[in-house]
Amino acid sequence: MVLLATIGFGPSAATAAADPFFWDQAGLEVGGYKKLPGDKELWAKLPGASTSTDDTEYKFELACHEGDNIVQACLPRVPDCDAGDDGMAVQWFWRSESLGFADWTANSRFGCVYASNPNEVLEQIADRILSEFRSLPIDAGRLTLQPSPHTLIRANTNVYAESEEQIHEIDLLGQNVVIEAIPQDYSWNYGDGTSLGPTSTPGGPLPQGRWGEQTATSHVYTSTGDFNVSLTTTFSGTYSVNGGPAIPIPGTGTFSAEPVTISVWRSVVNNFADNCLENPNGAGC
């Protein structure tokens, strides 16, 4: 198989039509690019693998051009070569003596050719993805306390988190990157100098009739006052580039929820001698 790079080009960018033997719909995938022969650093994914033999030759020409003239009717078929790297839209041709195609035969679809290895873009995204992940506006979840906004000293106050998986879409180095954030661990600061976590248990609600029971994430306050309870949630994640496979993000991100203020009260028990039925105005009535 021989590649003939018949034209050079200046900088632009690349996304190509979907085809097993062309650039994928998004313009980037891991691996599969060939360096074309010639003086320029040109990279392409070859079309027409089904016709590939030892003597098959390929070449490309600038899409929708006849000499110096642009063929207007052809333009709607041209892919938008815009994937954050130097590239241009081309039409591929092939020929093979052994298959009986001595003349150059046009492939029916267009593609894109890059001025540098597109895999380098993926490597750059991989280098930056963790910092981008940690800078996303990921919702740490809602922090709930039972009872609230008041609780009693030396009683169990149930504390739990409600957090969900989230999808964020960003543009990174000219590529469409979709990030899925998945809650993994939870940490609570109860505001009185004590904390819990990280733990994989988010806790959960109790019916009102069971408030005061101990749970995996509950807390007992030993002094009265107002305390700010805070939650931080650690997320793991995956990312995909231009609709490609999901790739694990090499690290985690920690995000904080809105704190909740709880007022801890003291319970007081008094004994009264009055019978409220006989003396409705008596002490304690």
Side-chain angles (χ1 to χ4, degrees), residues 98-121:
S98 63
L99 294 177
F101 292 88
D103 296 327
W104 288 109
T105 302
N107 194 287
S108 61
R109 305 188 72 170
F110 297 114
C112 295
V113 174
Y114 285 87
S116 60
N117 186 348
N119 288 321
E120 294 176 359
V121 177

Side-chain angles (χ1 to χ4, degrees), residues 161-260:
E162 295 175 286
S163 185
E164 298 178 345
E165 297 182 6
Q166 297 159 53
I167 300 293
H168 293 266
E169 187 172 338
I170 63 173
D171 181 87
L172 182 56
L173 298 178
Q175 316 307 314
N176 176 257
V177 178
V178 175
I179 295 176
E180 181 177 12
I182 306 161
Q184 177 175 299
D185 293 310
Y186 306 86
S187 298
W188 287 270
N189 186 316
Y190 296 116
D192 62 349
T194 62
S195 60
L196 173 67
T199 173
S200 60
T201 303
L206 288 173
Q208 186 169 354
R210 294 174 55 191
W211 286 3
E213 290 185 11
Q214 183 178 3
T215 68
T217 55
S218 63
H219 181 61
V220 175
Y221 289 93
T222 59
S223 61
T224 60
D226 292 340
F227 302 94
N228 288 323
V229 184
S230 61
L231 164 70
T232 55
T233 306
T234 299
F235 286 78
S236 59
T238 63
Y239 72 100
S240 62
V241 180
N242 299 325
I247 304 169
I249 295 174
T252 59
T254 300
F255 303 87
S256 299
E258 284 291 325
V260 175

Side-chain angles (χ1 to χ4, degrees), residues 31 49 53-54 70 73 75 91 108 116 119 124 129 145 169 184 210 232 264 267 275 285:
T53 66
D54 289 340
I70 297 176
L75 293 178
Q91 183 168 19
S108 61
S116 60
N119 288 321
Q124 293 169 17
I129 194 64
L145 293 86
E169 187 172 338
Q184 177 175 299
R210 294 174 55 191
T232 55
V264 180
S267 59
N275 185 323
C285 296

Side-chain angles (χ1 to χ4, degrees), residues 69-109:
N69 299 320
I70 297 176
V71 181
Q72 297 289 336
C74 167
L75 293 178
R77 298 170 53 204
V78 176
D80 179 17
C81 291
D82 184 11
D85 206 348
D86 296 337
M88 71 171 186
V90 299
Q91 183 168 19
W92 284 94
F93 296 80
W94 67 277
R95 66 184 179 187
S96 172
E97 290 281 356
S98 63
L99 294 177
F101 292 88
D103 296 327
W104 288 109
T105 302
N107 194 287
S108 61
R109 305 188 72 170

